[in-house]
Amino acid sequence: MMQLIATTDYPVAAGATLTAQIDFNTNSSVIDFDTAKNEIIFKQPGIYKVTAYVVFTATAAGSNTIYGFSSTTSADVPGFTSSFESTVATQTATYSMGKDIRISPAVFGAYARMNLATLTAGTVENLVVSVEKIR
């Protein structure tokens, strides 16, 4: 199991990847985190339970979305999205998302990768992501 956190506020631009640090990782031969690219690295095929909680303040009113993005396939991770409709600028909300993600076998060293991104500019105030291989 691995847990990522960000406990210090930081600004993000629309379309940016959210940053985090490893809080703990009990088995880096199964799952890891690339701090340079802010990517979760799935090192073995199987099913992983991924949950994320993000406290985010958008800079403008409107629809705000945080989502999982697969940098392996350059596509959104279906079903790993959370949205909130803010009525005023600087409205803070907690975005919760969770999904069991299936990772298929690949060539050794060609690991699946995923990150979190936002469609809206704002400030990340807190972030917790847990990743656990369940099968």
Side-chain angles (χ1 to χ4, degrees), residues 50-112:
V50 182
T51 56
Y53 302 95
V54 182
V55 179
F56 182 76
T57 302
T59 55
S63 181
N64 308 304
T65 301
I66 294 177
Y67 61 99
F69 183 80
S70 168
S71 48
T72 307
T73 60
S74 296
D76 296 354
V77 177
F80 198 70
T81 301
S82 184
S83 296
F84 176 74
E85 187 76 30
S86 59
T87 55
V88 295
T90 68
Q91 186 174 3
T92 301
T94 300
Y95 298 76
S96 302
M97 57 200 110
K99 181 176 172 85
D100 291 348
I101 298 175
R102 182 178 180 273
I103 303 299
S104 300
V107 176
F108 181 76
Y111 304 127

Side-chain angles (χ1 to χ4, degrees), residues 11-58:
V12 292
T17 300
L18 306 187
T19 61
Q21 300 80 240
I22 295 176
D23 186 25
F24 65 84
N25 186 352
T26 60
N27 193 347
S28 60
S29 64
V30 174
I31 189 113
D32 212 347
F33 185 68
D34 182 338
T35 54
K37 295 181 179 180
N38 296 304
E39 294 176 329
I40 298 166
I41 304 168
F42 302 93
K43 293 183 172 182
Q44 294 181 0
I47 298 175
Y48 293 80
K49 179 175 281 308
V50 182
T51 56
Y53 302 95
V54 182
V55 179
F56 182 76
T57 302

